[in-house]
Amino acid sequence: QVQLVESGGGLVQAGGSLRLSCVVSGSAIQLDSMAWYRQAPGGQRELVATIRSDGISNYADSVKGRFTIFRDNAKNTVYLQMNSLNHEDTAVYYCRLFGVYNAWGQGTQVTVAS
């Protein structure tokens, strides 16, 4: 059974940084694309960043230049480095594994205090 477990969320002041991690068990990730999504209170889940198996990444306009997605296939882990955080980044962040399993993690809360 494939499982995704996110960690690294928390409370941070505006302008601060956090690094989220998503560890995948039950399947090797090196051939699959992965992504980070987020859902703010009362809002819809939105795509934040994606990374392909070849390392090519894409970002939502709202996070370009501030967030970086990267992966360590040896550790079966994808990361989201978030810098210059602002209040609008407050949300539950989810990672997603594409491909055969199309699985989601349970989410990790990020709260940015203004």
Side-chain angles (χ1 to χ4, degrees):
Q1 182 179 357
V2 174
Q3 285 190 319
L4 285 68
V5 178
E6 301 99 333
S7 63
L11 174 64
V12 64
Q13 294 294 316
S17 299
L18 284 174
R19 178 178 290 185
L20 306 183
S21 301
C22 174
V23 179
V24 180
S25 60
S27 177
I29 69 169
Q30 64 262 32
L31 298 181
D32 295 319
S33 296
M34 296 197 68
W36 285 95
Y37 289 73
R38 68 186 181 185
Q39 187 166 14
Q44 293 186 334
R45 191 170 297 189
E46 63 174 359
L47 179 63
V48 175
T50 61
I51 185 164
R52 299 181 345 188
S53 58
D54 59 4
I56 301 296
S57 57
N58 283 286
Y59 299 90
D61 287 344
S62 59
V63 306
K64 279 181 182 176
R66 301 188 298 120
F67 289 13
T68 303
I69 186 172
F70 58 103
R71 60 196 295 162
D72 185 338
N73 291 335
K75 295 183 178 179
N76 242 30
T77 301
V78 65
Y79 302 92
L80 186 68
Q81 177 66 42
M82 306 186 295
N83 299 328
S84 301
L85 286 160
N86 58 58
H87 183 66
E88 288 69 37
D89 297 316
T90 295
V92 178
Y93 284 72
Y94 300 89
C95 67
R96 180 183 181 184
L97 171 67
F98 289 89
V100 174
Y101 295 102
N102 192 24
W104 293 81
Q106 82 290 347
T108 186
Q109 175 70 47
V110 172
T111 302
V112 184
S114 56

